[in-house]
Structures are given as structure tokens and as C-alpha cells.
Amino acid sequence: MSTTPHTDRDPFAVMLRGAFLPTVAVGPVAVVVAAVVGGGKAALGAALGFVIALTFFALGLVVMRKLGSAADPLRFLASALAVFMGQMIFLLVVIIALQDATWLDGTAFGIAVLAVALVWQVFQVIAFVRSRRLVFDAPDDSGQDGGSAT
């Protein structure tokens, strides 16, 4: 067993892996429920909502990872807020573009987006909490940072 800490552990990759699979499982359930309850338009709305929301959240983490600002808390916060604002603008554009769409059920679309958002956020937080990350830097001579104490 290695005693060296995982300083290269990517929290964004951990959160993406932790949230992606449970969220992917929600899609087919949402589409089937929508199809049974509301028919073809509802199934289409749920499928589109699922795809848009999954893409929306996954791309947010990918962009945050590319910004590479996790080491500096202030830069990280500014980046996270900028990405979040971009996501909100994107979602607003999608809603405006689809508000008059007669070919899909808006309620099924909204419920699917909400279900995906809830599952994604819950499992992203769970993955982050379970991830192992250093909270502080140990002094070089303490022997706790993987180096040798002299």
C-alpha cells in the first residue's frame, strides 16, 4: 500500500465519474414514464430534456477542469460562477427556442430536466465528499507528505 498522497487526483474527473452513470440511468426511466403517461410527444420531450441536461452538466465539469483553477480558491470561485452563468444563459436560450415547439411536451421536458438535475447534483456531491483530497499542505520535513523526514 502506497503512503504517498494522491496530489494529482482530479476532483472534476471524480465528480464526473460519480454523477454520470446514475444520471444516465435516469434517462430511459424518464422516457418510458413519459411515454406511458403522455404518449409520443411526452417521450420526445423527456428524451430531449434528458440529453440537454446531461450535456449541460457534463460540459460544465469539463470546462471547469480545463480552466485548471482548483489550486487557487478565488480563481476557482470566479471560474465556477462564470461557468454557472454560462450554463444559465444556455438553458435560457434553449427554453426560449423551444417555448413554441408543438412537437414536444414541455411538461415532460421540464420534469426530465429536473430529474436529471437532481440526480446529477446529488451524485456529484456524493462523489466529491467521498473523494480523498488534501485539506492542508504538510511541511516537507514532517514525513506526512510522502517525502522522507530527516
Side-chain angles (χ1 to χ4, degrees):
M1 185 164 122
S2 174
T3 59
T4 59
H6 295 285
T7 56
D8 60 341
R9 188 161 197 152
D10 182 5
F12 301 110
V14 170
M15 289 186 292
L16 185 61
R17 281 191 308 270
F20 189 76
L21 289 179
T23 306
V24 167
V26 170
V29 173
V31 171
V32 168
V33 169
V36 168
V37 172
K41 279 174 61 172
L44 181 61
L48 185 62
F50 165 69
V51 169
I52 287 173
L54 182 64
T55 304
F56 173 81
F57 288 114
L59 285 178
L61 279 179
V62 169
V63 168
M64 287 300 301
R65 183 179 185 195
K66 294 294 182 191
L67 291 175
S69 58
D72 179 16
L74 291 176
R75 185 173 164 206
F76 175 75
L77 181 60
S79 300
L81 289 173
V83 168
F84 180 71
M85 182 61 75
Q87 287 178 317
M88 292 299 105
I89 291 169
F90 169 76
L91 192 55
L92 177 64
V93 168
V94 168
I95 289 170
I96 289 171
L98 295 176
Q99 71 181 353
D100 294 326
T102 58
W103 48 271
L104 66 88
D105 183 342
T107 303
F109 176 85
I111 291 173
V113 169
L114 181 62
V116 167
L118 290 173
V119 170
W120 182 276
Q121 293 301 319
V122 165
F123 282 94
Q124 179 178 319
V125 168
I126 289 170
F128 182 75
V129 168
R130 288 183 179 171
S131 69
R132 300 187 78 191
R133 53 201 184 283
L134 289 176
V135 178
F136 61 91
D137 289 330
D140 287 336
D141 61 349
S142 71
Q144 296 180 9
D145 63 351
S148 61
T150 53

